[in-house]
Amino acid sequence: MNTQTYSAGEAATEISTVAVVGLGYIGLPTAAILAGKGLKVVGVDVNPSTVEAVNEGRVPFVEPDLAVHVAGAVSQGFLQAQDEMPEADAYIVAVPTPFQEDKTADLIYVEQAARNIAARIRPGNLVILESTSPPGTTRRMADVILELRPDLAADANGGKEAVLFAHCPERVLPGRIMIELVTNDRIIGGLTPEAASTAAGLYSTFCQGSIHLTDAATAEMAKLVENAYRDVNIAFANELSVISDNLGIDVWNLIELANHHPRVNILQPGPGVGGHCIAVDPWFIVSADPENSRLIRTAREVNDAKPGHVVAEVKSAVDGIDAPVIATLGLAFKANIDDTRESPAVEIVRRLAVENPDARIVVGRSFLGTTLPDELSPLPNVETMVIDDAVATADAVVLLVDHDSFREIRPEQLAGKAVIDTRGFWRATA
Ligand code: SAJ
Protein backbone atom coordinates (compact mmCIF):
# COMPACT_ATOMS: atom_id res chain seq x y z
CA MET A 1 0.00 0.00 0.00
CA ASN A 2 1.32 3.48 -0.80
CA THR A 3 1.76 5.85 2.07
CA GLN A 4 -0.86 8.58 2.02
CA THR A 5 -1.18 11.57 4.32
CA TYR A 6 -4.21 13.37 5.72
CA SER A 7 -4.01 16.83 7.22
CA ALA A 8 -6.17 17.88 10.14
CA GLY A 9 -9.84 18.20 9.28
CA GLU A 10 -9.40 16.80 5.76
CA ALA A 11 -11.13 13.49 6.32
CA ALA A 12 -14.75 13.13 7.35
CA THR A 13 -16.45 10.55 9.53
CA GLU A 14 -19.93 9.10 9.67
CA ILE A 15 -19.08 7.37 12.91
CA SER A 16 -21.18 8.59 15.81
CA THR A 17 -20.80 5.88 18.46
CA VAL A 18 -17.46 4.50 19.65
CA ALA A 19 -16.64 1.74 22.13
CA VAL A 20 -13.21 2.16 23.71
CA VAL A 21 -12.07 -1.17 25.10
CA GLY A 22 -9.67 -0.77 28.04
CA LEU A 23 -9.84 2.41 30.13
CA GLY A 24 -6.16 2.66 31.03
CA TYR A 25 -3.51 5.26 30.29
CA ILE A 26 -4.43 5.37 26.59
CA GLY A 27 -8.05 4.22 26.41
CA LEU A 28 -9.48 6.66 28.95
CA PRO A 29 -7.82 9.80 27.52
CA THR A 30 -8.86 8.76 23.99
CA ALA A 31 -12.43 8.10 25.14
CA ALA A 32 -12.59 11.48 26.88
CA ILE A 33 -11.22 13.36 23.87
CA LEU A 34 -13.65 11.67 21.43
CA ALA A 35 -16.55 12.36 23.81
CA GLY A 36 -15.43 15.98 23.99
CA LYS A 37 -15.93 16.15 20.21
CA GLY A 38 -19.57 15.13 20.59
CA LEU A 39 -19.27 11.43 19.77
CA LYS A 40 -21.19 9.03 21.95
CA VAL A 41 -18.49 7.02 23.71
CA VAL A 42 -18.85 3.90 25.83
CA GLY A 43 -15.73 2.89 27.74
CA VAL A 44 -15.45 -0.82 28.46
CA ASP A 45 -13.33 -2.16 31.29
CA VAL A 46 -13.17 -5.40 33.27
CA ASN A 47 -12.20 -3.56 36.46
CA PRO A 48 -15.36 -2.57 38.41
CA SER A 49 -13.56 0.20 40.30
CA THR A 50 -12.43 1.81 37.00
CA VAL A 51 -16.00 1.63 35.64
CA GLU A 52 -17.38 3.13 38.84
CA ALA A 53 -14.77 5.91 38.93
CA VAL A 54 -15.38 6.96 35.32
CA ASN A 55 -19.16 6.95 35.72
CA GLU A 56 -18.69 9.27 38.70
CA GLY A 57 -16.50 11.52 36.54
CA ARG A 58 -13.32 10.57 38.39
CA VAL A 59 -10.00 9.28 37.04
CA PRO A 60 -8.27 6.23 38.50
CA PHE A 61 -4.67 7.49 37.88
CA VAL A 62 -2.72 10.74 37.74
CA GLU A 63 -2.46 12.44 34.34
CA PRO A 64 -2.48 16.22 33.95
CA ASP A 65 -5.82 17.62 32.65
CA LEU A 66 -7.43 14.20 32.22
CA ALA A 67 -9.76 14.62 35.20
CA VAL A 68 -11.38 17.75 33.82
CA HIS A 69 -11.96 16.12 30.40
CA VAL A 70 -13.50 13.00 31.95
CA ALA A 71 -15.69 14.92 34.39
CA GLY A 72 -16.96 17.19 31.57
CA ALA A 73 -17.65 14.35 29.13
CA VAL A 74 -19.50 12.27 31.74
CA SER A 75 -21.58 15.17 33.05
CA GLN A 76 -22.68 16.07 29.49
CA GLY A 77 -23.70 12.47 28.82
CA PHE A 78 -21.18 11.77 26.05
CA LEU A 79 -19.07 9.30 28.04
CA GLN A 80 -20.12 6.35 30.15
CA ALA A 81 -18.35 3.21 31.29
CA GLN A 82 -19.50 -0.40 31.62
CA ASP A 83 -18.08 -3.91 31.71
CA GLU A 84 -20.08 -5.28 28.76
CA MET A 85 -19.25 -4.73 25.11
CA PRO A 86 -21.90 -2.48 23.53
CA GLU A 87 -22.91 -2.17 19.88
CA ALA A 88 -21.03 0.72 18.27
CA ASP A 89 -20.02 2.08 14.85
CA ALA A 90 -16.34 1.81 15.79
CA TYR A 91 -14.35 -0.14 18.38
CA ILE A 92 -10.99 1.08 19.66
CA VAL A 93 -8.99 -1.62 21.44
CA ALA A 94 -6.54 -0.19 23.98
CA VAL A 95 -5.85 -3.16 26.24
CA PRO A 96 -2.47 -4.15 27.72
CA THR A 97 -0.03 -6.21 25.63
CA PRO A 98 2.44 -7.35 28.30
CA PHE A 99 5.44 -9.54 27.59
CA GLN A 100 5.85 -13.05 28.89
CA GLU A 101 8.84 -14.73 30.59
CA ASP A 102 10.39 -15.42 27.19
CA LYS A 103 9.89 -11.73 26.15
CA THR A 104 7.26 -12.54 23.53
CA ALA A 105 4.01 -10.56 23.59
CA ASP A 106 1.05 -11.90 25.51
CA LEU A 107 -1.97 -11.18 23.30
CA ILE A 108 -4.55 -12.69 25.63
CA TYR A 109 -6.28 -9.34 26.28
CA VAL A 110 -6.42 -8.43 22.58
CA GLU A 111 -7.94 -11.81 21.79
CA GLN A 112 -10.48 -11.52 24.61
CA ALA A 113 -11.50 -8.07 23.37
CA ALA A 114 -11.81 -9.48 19.83
CA ARG A 115 -14.11 -12.27 21.01
CA ASN A 116 -16.33 -9.79 22.85
CA ILE A 117 -16.44 -7.49 19.81
CA ALA A 118 -17.35 -10.45 17.55
CA ALA A 119 -20.60 -10.88 19.48
CA ARG A 120 -21.64 -7.28 18.75
CA ILE A 121 -20.06 -6.24 15.47
CA ARG A 122 -22.24 -5.35 12.46
CA PRO A 123 -21.39 -4.98 8.75
CA GLY A 124 -19.55 -1.75 7.99
CA ASN A 125 -18.19 -1.38 11.54
CA LEU A 126 -14.60 -0.36 12.13
CA VAL A 127 -12.23 -2.07 14.62
CA ILE A 128 -9.01 -0.25 15.51
CA LEU A 129 -6.19 -1.77 17.51
CA GLU A 130 -4.29 0.92 19.47
CA SER A 131 -2.33 -1.37 21.78
CA THR A 132 1.36 -1.63 20.93
CA SER A 133 1.71 -5.01 19.28
CA PRO A 134 4.08 -7.24 17.31
CA PRO A 135 3.73 -7.22 13.51
CA GLY A 136 0.73 -9.32 12.47
CA THR A 137 -1.44 -8.62 15.54
CA THR A 138 -4.11 -6.58 13.73
CA ARG A 139 -4.50 -9.47 11.28
CA ARG A 140 -4.71 -11.91 14.21
CA MET A 141 -7.35 -9.76 15.94
CA ALA A 142 -9.36 -9.73 12.69
CA ASP A 143 -8.99 -13.51 12.33
CA VAL A 144 -10.37 -14.08 15.85
CA ILE A 145 -13.42 -11.94 15.04
CA LEU A 146 -13.99 -13.40 11.58
CA GLU A 147 -13.72 -16.99 12.78
CA LEU A 148 -16.60 -16.28 15.15
CA ARG A 149 -18.46 -14.33 12.48
CA PRO A 150 -18.27 -16.29 9.21
CA ASP A 151 -20.91 -13.92 7.76
CA LEU A 152 -18.31 -11.11 7.67
CA ALA A 153 -14.99 -10.49 5.85
CA ALA A 154 -12.15 -7.96 6.07
CA ASP A 155 -12.63 -7.27 2.35
CA ALA A 156 -16.03 -7.43 0.67
CA ASN A 157 -15.79 -10.66 -1.30
CA GLY A 158 -17.62 -13.92 -1.86
CA GLY A 159 -20.96 -12.36 -0.94
CA LYS A 160 -19.84 -11.58 2.61
CA GLU A 161 -20.33 -8.15 4.13
CA ALA A 162 -17.22 -6.20 5.05
CA VAL A 163 -15.96 -4.97 8.39
CA LEU A 164 -12.92 -2.72 8.60
CA PHE A 165 -9.73 -3.37 10.58
CA ALA A 166 -6.88 -0.94 11.25
CA HIS A 167 -3.97 -0.34 13.59
CA CYS A 168 -3.47 3.15 14.98
CA PRO A 169 -0.63 2.97 17.50
CA GLU A 170 -0.75 5.39 20.39
CA ARG A 171 2.32 7.66 20.61
CA VAL A 172 1.60 9.93 23.56
CA LEU A 173 4.03 10.70 26.35
CA PRO A 174 2.74 10.02 29.88
CA GLY A 175 2.51 13.37 31.65
CA ARG A 176 1.60 15.12 28.35
CA ILE A 177 -1.10 12.75 27.09
CA MET A 178 -3.94 15.27 26.76
CA ILE A 179 -1.75 17.61 24.71
CA GLU A 180 0.01 15.02 22.57
CA LEU A 181 -3.22 13.15 21.73
CA VAL A 182 -4.30 16.27 19.89
CA THR A 183 -1.02 17.59 18.48
CA ASN A 184 1.01 14.47 17.53
CA ASP A 185 0.98 13.06 14.00
CA ARG A 186 -0.63 9.61 13.77
CA ILE A 187 0.16 6.54 11.71
CA ILE A 188 -2.78 4.41 10.63
CA GLY A 189 -2.32 1.04 8.96
CA GLY A 190 -5.33 -0.74 7.51
CA LEU A 191 -5.88 -4.32 6.52
CA THR A 192 -7.43 -2.57 3.50
CA PRO A 193 -7.00 1.00 2.19
CA GLU A 194 -10.69 1.66 3.00
CA ALA A 195 -10.16 0.62 6.61
CA ALA A 196 -7.20 3.00 6.93
CA SER A 197 -9.05 5.96 5.46
CA THR A 198 -12.19 5.31 7.54
CA ALA A 199 -10.05 5.20 10.69
CA ALA A 200 -8.36 8.44 9.58
CA GLY A 201 -11.79 10.04 9.38
CA LEU A 202 -12.46 9.12 13.01
CA TYR A 203 -9.08 10.33 14.31
CA SER A 204 -9.31 13.57 12.35
CA THR A 205 -12.20 14.60 14.64
CA PHE A 206 -9.59 15.43 17.31
CA CYS A 207 -6.10 14.96 15.88
CA GLN A 208 -4.55 18.22 14.69
CA GLY A 209 -1.36 16.54 13.46
CA SER A 210 -1.03 14.83 10.09
CA ILE A 211 -2.40 11.31 9.75
CA HIS A 212 -0.19 9.02 7.68
CA LEU A 213 -1.79 5.97 6.09
CA THR A 214 -0.06 2.66 5.46
CA ASP A 215 -0.69 -1.06 5.89
CA ALA A 216 -1.26 -2.62 9.32
CA ALA A 217 2.06 -4.49 9.67
CA THR A 218 4.09 -1.37 8.80
CA ALA A 219 2.12 0.67 11.34
CA GLU A 220 2.72 -2.01 13.98
CA MET A 221 6.44 -2.02 13.24
CA ALA A 222 6.67 1.81 13.10
CA LYS A 223 5.46 2.06 16.68
CA LEU A 224 7.96 -0.54 17.91
CA VAL A 225 10.76 1.15 16.00
CA GLU A 226 10.03 4.55 17.58
CA ASN A 227 10.39 3.14 21.08
CA ALA A 228 13.38 0.96 20.19
CA TYR A 229 15.10 4.03 18.73
CA ARG A 230 14.65 5.86 22.04
CA ASP A 231 15.76 2.82 24.03
CA VAL A 232 18.97 2.50 22.00
CA ASN A 233 19.71 6.19 22.54
CA ILE A 234 19.06 6.03 26.29
CA ALA A 235 21.27 2.91 26.44
CA PHE A 236 24.06 4.95 24.88
CA ALA A 237 23.70 7.55 27.66
CA ASN A 238 23.48 4.87 30.35
CA GLU A 239 26.56 3.09 29.02
CA LEU A 240 28.42 6.42 29.01
CA SER A 241 27.46 7.01 32.63
CA VAL A 242 29.00 3.69 33.72
CA ILE A 243 32.17 4.29 31.68
CA SER A 244 32.40 7.84 33.08
CA ASP A 245 32.04 6.58 36.67
CA ASN A 246 34.93 4.19 36.09
CA LEU A 247 37.05 6.95 34.56
CA GLY A 248 36.19 9.52 37.23
CA ILE A 249 34.44 11.82 34.73
CA ASP A 250 31.20 13.74 35.39
CA VAL A 251 28.86 12.24 32.77
CA TRP A 252 26.42 15.19 32.88
CA ASN A 253 29.18 17.62 32.11
CA LEU A 254 30.52 15.29 29.41
CA ILE A 255 27.14 15.00 27.65
CA GLU A 256 26.47 18.71 27.88
CA LEU A 257 29.80 19.43 26.21
CA ALA A 258 29.41 16.78 23.49
CA ASN A 259 25.91 18.07 22.73
CA HIS A 260 27.40 21.41 21.64
CA HIS A 261 28.38 19.61 18.43
CA PRO A 262 25.73 20.46 15.81
CA ARG A 263 24.99 16.82 14.98
CA VAL A 264 25.24 15.28 18.47
CA ASN A 265 22.26 15.05 20.81
CA ILE A 266 22.90 12.51 23.57
CA LEU A 267 19.99 11.73 25.90
CA GLN A 268 20.18 11.67 29.70
CA PRO A 269 21.41 8.73 31.77
CA GLY A 270 19.24 7.59 34.65
CA PRO A 271 18.69 4.65 37.02
CA GLY A 272 17.43 2.50 34.12
CA VAL A 273 14.52 2.53 31.71
CA GLY A 274 11.00 1.91 32.94
CA GLY A 275 7.39 2.25 31.94
CA HIS A 276 5.26 -0.11 30.01
CA CYS A 277 6.52 1.01 26.60
CA ILE A 278 10.22 1.53 26.07
CA ALA A 279 11.20 -1.23 28.49
CA VAL A 280 8.90 -3.68 26.70
CA ASP A 281 8.31 -2.87 23.02
CA PRO A 282 11.87 -3.43 21.69
CA TRP A 283 11.55 -7.08 22.78
CA PHE A 284 8.69 -7.49 20.28
CA ILE A 285 11.15 -6.65 17.49
CA VAL A 286 13.77 -8.98 18.96
CA SER A 287 11.28 -11.84 19.11
CA ALA A 288 10.14 -11.16 15.53
CA ASP A 289 13.73 -11.54 14.23
CA PRO A 290 16.11 -12.60 17.03
CA GLU A 291 19.11 -13.22 14.78
CA ASN A 292 19.22 -9.73 13.30
CA SER A 293 18.17 -7.62 16.30
CA ARG A 294 21.59 -7.52 17.97
CA LEU A 295 21.79 -3.78 18.67
CA ILE A 296 18.19 -3.57 19.89
CA ARG A 297 18.67 -6.53 22.23
CA THR A 298 21.96 -5.18 23.59
CA ALA A 299 20.39 -1.78 24.28
CA ARG A 300 17.69 -3.51 26.33
CA GLU A 301 20.35 -5.42 28.25
CA VAL A 302 22.41 -2.27 28.90
CA ASN A 303 19.35 -0.42 30.23
CA ASP A 304 18.21 -3.39 32.30
CA ALA A 305 21.67 -3.62 33.89
CA LYS A 306 21.62 0.01 35.07
CA PRO A 307 19.63 -0.58 38.31
CA GLY A 308 22.32 -3.10 39.35
CA HIS A 309 24.98 -0.45 38.84
CA VAL A 310 23.06 1.99 41.06
CA VAL A 311 22.59 -0.66 43.77
CA ALA A 312 26.34 -1.33 43.76
CA GLU A 313 27.04 2.40 44.04
CA VAL A 314 24.73 2.77 47.05
CA LYS A 315 26.17 -0.31 48.75
CA SER A 316 29.67 1.04 48.42
CA ALA A 317 28.55 4.45 49.77
CA VAL A 318 27.23 2.88 53.00
CA ASP A 319 29.97 0.27 53.28
CA GLY A 320 31.30 0.22 56.86
CA ILE A 321 28.19 1.88 58.37
CA ASP A 322 26.43 -0.40 60.84
CA ALA A 323 22.68 -0.78 60.07
CA PRO A 324 22.67 2.12 57.62
CA VAL A 325 19.58 4.19 56.86
CA ILE A 326 19.11 4.76 53.14
CA ALA A 327 16.59 7.37 51.97
CA THR A 328 15.28 6.83 48.45
CA LEU A 329 13.41 9.55 46.57
CA GLY A 330 10.88 8.61 43.88
CA LEU A 331 9.32 5.30 42.87
CA ALA A 332 7.65 6.15 39.54
CA PHE A 333 9.31 5.23 36.25
CA LYS A 334 9.81 8.92 35.47
CA ALA A 335 9.16 12.43 36.74
CA ASN A 336 5.86 13.87 37.94
CA ILE A 337 3.65 10.81 37.41
CA ASP A 338 2.50 8.03 39.76
CA ASP A 339 3.06 5.10 37.37
CA THR A 340 5.46 2.46 38.74
CA ARG A 341 5.16 -0.09 35.91
CA GLU A 342 8.59 -1.60 35.15
CA SER A 343 10.07 1.21 37.28
CA PRO A 344 13.82 0.92 37.82
CA ALA A 345 13.34 2.91 41.05
CA VAL A 346 11.15 0.17 42.51
CA GLU A 347 13.66 -2.47 41.43
CA ILE A 348 16.52 -0.55 43.06
CA VAL A 349 14.65 -0.13 46.36
CA ARG A 350 13.69 -3.82 46.32
CA ARG A 351 17.25 -4.96 45.74
CA LEU A 352 18.69 -2.56 48.33
CA ALA A 353 16.27 -3.96 50.91
CA VAL A 354 16.76 -7.63 50.04
CA GLU A 355 20.52 -7.49 49.63
CA ASN A 356 21.05 -5.40 52.82
CA PRO A 357 18.78 -6.94 55.45
CA ASP A 358 20.44 -4.84 58.17
CA ALA A 359 19.73 -1.57 56.37
CA ARG A 360 16.53 0.48 56.77
CA ILE A 361 15.20 1.84 53.50
CA VAL A 362 13.06 4.94 53.99
CA VAL A 363 11.10 5.87 50.91
CA GLY A 364 10.35 9.61 50.76
CA ARG A 365 6.60 10.12 50.22
CA SER A 366 5.83 11.71 46.87
CA PHE A 367 3.15 10.69 44.34
CA LEU A 368 2.20 7.41 46.03
CA GLY A 369 1.95 8.89 49.53
CA THR A 370 2.11 6.16 52.17
CA THR A 371 1.34 3.37 49.68
CA LEU A 372 4.13 1.05 48.66
CA PRO A 373 3.92 -0.96 45.41
CA ASP A 374 3.25 -4.70 45.78
CA GLU A 375 6.93 -5.53 45.13
CA LEU A 376 7.94 -3.51 48.22
CA SER A 377 5.12 -3.73 50.73
CA PRO A 378 6.03 -7.20 52.11
CA LEU A 379 9.67 -6.19 52.77
CA PRO A 380 10.21 -5.68 56.53
CA ASN A 381 12.98 -3.09 56.18
CA VAL A 382 11.16 -0.73 53.77
CA GLU A 383 8.88 2.06 55.03
CA THR A 384 7.62 5.40 53.79
CA MET A 385 8.36 8.68 55.52
CA VAL A 386 7.69 12.36 54.80
CA ILE A 387 10.54 13.58 52.65
CA ASP A 388 12.22 15.91 55.14
CA ASP A 389 12.27 13.22 57.84
CA ALA A 390 13.54 10.58 55.41
CA VAL A 391 16.42 12.81 54.37
CA ALA A 392 17.18 13.91 57.94
CA THR A 393 17.41 10.37 59.26
CA ALA A 394 19.46 8.94 56.37
CA ASP A 395 23.14 8.11 56.04
CA ALA A 396 22.74 8.03 52.26
CA VAL A 397 20.19 9.79 50.03
CA VAL A 398 19.43 8.19 46.66
CA LEU A 399 17.54 10.32 44.14
CA LEU A 400 15.78 7.96 41.73
CA VAL A 401 13.16 10.16 40.06
CA ASP A 402 13.39 13.86 39.20
CA HIS A 403 9.97 14.87 40.56
CA ASP A 404 9.64 18.68 40.69
CA SER A 405 8.65 18.49 44.38
CA PHE A 406 12.17 17.30 45.30
CA ARG A 407 13.42 20.80 44.40
CA GLU A 408 12.23 21.84 47.87
CA ILE A 409 15.03 19.83 49.46
CA ARG A 410 17.70 22.37 50.43
CA PRO A 411 21.43 21.68 49.95
CA GLU A 412 22.05 21.99 53.70
CA GLN A 413 19.66 19.07 54.31
CA LEU A 414 22.04 16.85 52.33
CA ALA A 415 25.22 18.08 54.00
CA GLY A 416 27.37 15.30 55.46
CA LYS A 417 25.39 12.52 53.75
CA ALA A 418 26.37 10.28 50.88
CA VAL A 419 24.31 11.48 47.90
CA ILE A 420 23.65 9.23 44.92
CA ASP A 421 21.92 11.37 42.29
CA THR A 422 20.96 9.04 39.45
CA ARG A 423 19.37 11.80 37.35
CA GLY A 424 21.87 14.65 37.63
CA PHE A 425 18.98 16.45 39.32
CA TRP A 426 20.84 18.46 41.91
CA ARG A 427 23.66 19.13 39.53
CA ALA A 428 21.17 20.89 37.23
CA THR A 429 20.25 23.38 39.97
CA ALA A 430 23.82 23.99 41.08
N1 SAJ B 1 14.67 8.09 30.19
C1 SAJ B 1 16.02 8.24 30.48
N2 SAJ B 1 16.74 9.20 29.82
C2 SAJ B 1 16.15 10.00 28.86
C3 SAJ B 1 14.80 9.83 28.56
C4 SAJ B 1 14.08 8.86 29.24
O1 SAJ B 1 16.57 7.53 31.33
O2 SAJ B 1 16.87 10.86 28.32
C5 SAJ B 1 13.89 7.05 30.89
C6 SAJ B 1 12.73 7.59 31.72
O3 SAJ B 1 13.15 8.01 32.97
C7 SAJ B 1 11.81 6.40 31.76
C8 SAJ B 1 12.03 5.74 30.39
O4 SAJ B 1 13.27 6.22 29.92
O5 SAJ B 1 12.18 5.48 32.77
C9 SAJ B 1 10.96 6.03 29.37
O6 SAJ B 1 10.56 7.39 29.45
P1 SAJ B 1 10.24 8.28 28.16
O7 SAJ B 1 9.86 9.62 28.64
O8 SAJ B 1 11.37 8.21 27.20
O9 SAJ B 1 9.07 7.53 27.43
P2 SAJ B 1 7.64 6.93 27.88
O10 SAJ B 1 7.83 5.47 28.16
O11 SAJ B 1 7.01 7.74 28.93
O12 SAJ B 1 6.83 7.13 26.53
C10 SAJ B 1 7.32 6.56 25.32
C11 SAJ B 1 7.29 7.62 24.22
N3 SAJ B 1 8.00 7.14 23.06
C12 SAJ B 1 8.98 7.89 22.45
O13 SAJ B 1 9.32 8.97 22.87
C13 SAJ B 1 9.59 7.31 21.23
C14 SAJ B 1 5.84 7.95 23.88
O14 SAJ B 1 5.78 8.84 22.77
C15 SAJ B 1 5.06 6.66 23.55
O15 SAJ B 1 3.70 6.93 23.25
C16 SAJ B 1 5.13 5.78 24.78
O16 SAJ B 1 6.51 5.44 25.00
C17 SAJ B 1 4.32 4.53 24.50
O17 SAJ B 1 3.18 4.46 25.04
O18 SAJ B 1 4.73 3.68 23.73
Side-chain angles (χ1 to χ4, degrees):
M1 186 189 294
N2 288 333
T3 299
Q4 213 185 321
T5 302
Y6 277 91
S7 300
E10 201 179 303
T13 186
E14 289 176 2
I15 292 165
S16 59
T17 58
V18 182
V20 178
V21 188
L23 293 176
Y25 292 87
I26 301 303
L28 185 53
T30 304
I33 289 263
L34 282 166
K37 293 292 171 190
L39 282 91
K40 188 94 182 143
V41 180
V42 179
V44 183
D45 204 286
V46 291
N47 185 339
S49 65
T50 299
V51 169
E52 189 185 321
V54 171
N55 284 332
E56 288 170 2
R58 292 185 287 111
V59 262
F61 51 87
V62 174
E63 178 61 37
D65 295 337
L66 177 60
V68 65
H69 280 80
V70 169
V74 170
S75 71
Q76 289 175 16
F78 288 107
L79 174 63
Q80 69 171 82
Q82 59 189 50
D83 62 357
E84 285 206 359
M85 191 69 67
E87 285 196 348
D89 299 330
Y91 297 86
I92 294 179
V93 177
V95 295
T97 45
F99 61 179
Q100 312 180 86
E101 283 286 294
D102 66 355
K103 313 283 192 203
T104 58
D106 185 351
L107 299 178
I108 186 174
Y109 302 111
V110 174
E111 289 172 356
Q112 187 55 48
R115 283 192 286 274
N116 293 341
I117 290 169
R120 294 277 182 236
I121 196 167
R122 293 161 299 165
N125 284 174
L126 169 67
V127 186
I128 298 168
L129 177 65
E130 276 223 17
S131 312
T132 305
S133 305
T137 309
T138 308
R139 165 61 64 188
R140 186 157 155 189
M141 176 185 75
D143 287 346
V144 171
I145 293 174
L146 297 175
E147 265 168 37
L148 291 165
R149 292 293 302 271
D151 54 314
L152 301 172
D155 217 341
N157 62 18
K160 293 184 178 182
E161 292 194 90
V163 280
L164 305 170
F165 296 98
H167 181 52
C168 183
E170 59 84 10
R171 303 165 108 184
V172 286
L173 197 71
R176 286 178 47 83
I177 291 178
M178 301 316 288
I179 299 165
E180 293 203 2
L181 261 183
V182 175
T183 57
N184 284 2
D185 286 4
R186 297 295 291 240
I187 297 172
I188 298 185
L191 287 192
T192 60
E194 189 196 351
S197 59
T198 305
L202 177 60
Y203 281 80
S204 69
T205 57
F206 66 86
C207 174
Q208 292 171 3
S210 297
I211 300 176
H212 307 273
L213 304 193
T214 182
D215 59 82
T218 307
E220 286 158 347
M221 193 62 180
K223 166 62 196 239
L224 301 179
V225 163
E226 290 163 16
N227 280 354
Y229 171 85
R230 192 154 169 85
D231 197 44
V232 168
N233 281 280
I234 298 169
F236 184 77
N238 277 335
E239 187 162 287
L240 278 185
S241 75
V242 178
I243 295 170
S244 299
D245 278 355
N246 286 341
L247 299 181
I249 289 170
D250 177 344
V251 70
W252 315 101
N253 193 18
L254 173 69
I255 290 175
E256 195 181 310
L257 290 171
N259 281 350
H260 282 290
H261 185 287
R263 284 174 297 283
V264 174
N265 187 12
I266 304 169
L267 295 181
Q268 297 299 297
V273 167
H276 187 61
C277 311
I278 295 191
V280 175
D281 302 350
W283 288 118
F284 296 170
I285 302 180
V286 175
S287 58
D289 187 355
E291 217 176 293
N292 295 303
S293 310
R294 288 180 299 159
L295 180 62
I296 296 169
R297 180 206 309 269
T298 303
R300 274 288 64 244
E301 288 166 355
V302 167
N303 286 331
D304 277 352
K306 193 67 200 292
H309 181 78
V310 175
V311 169
E313 225 181 325
V314 178
K315 276 178 163 175
S316 116
V318 296
D319 193 28
I321 303 177
D322 208 26
V325 179
I326 302 169
T328 62
L329 300 177
L331 287 174
F333 81 85
K334 65 178 199 175
N336 302 325
I337 59 170
D338 67 346
D339 189 346
T340 58
R341 289 178 299 172
E342 313 290 334
S343 173
V346 172
E347 174 63 6
I348 288 166
V349 174
R350 191 191 67 77
R351 284 184 57 179
L352 283 174
V354 171
E355 293 172 24
N356 304 275
D358 292 339
R360 249 175 86 214
I361 318 294
V362 290
V363 175
R365 288 177 199 153
S366 49
F367 278 79
L368 299 176
T370 55
T371 312
L372 284 171
D374 291 347
E375 301 92 315
L376 303 180
S377 53
L379 300 175
N381 55 343
V382 179
E383 63 187 292
T384 69
M385 207 178 261
V386 291
I387 290 165
D388 286 347
D389 292 350
V391 170
T393 189
D395 299 300
V397 178
V398 190
L399 184 120
L400 296 170
V401 188
D402 41 347
H403 290 319
D404 288 344
S405 56
F406 297 151
R407 291 266 172 241
E408 283 165 25
I409 299 169
R410 298 179 311 279
E412 55 270 26
Q413 289 177 268
L414 300 173
K417 298 174 190 296
V419 175
I420 294 94
D421 176 1
T422 68
R423 301 270 183 181
F425 182 74
W426 283 309
R427 179 186 181 275
T429 55

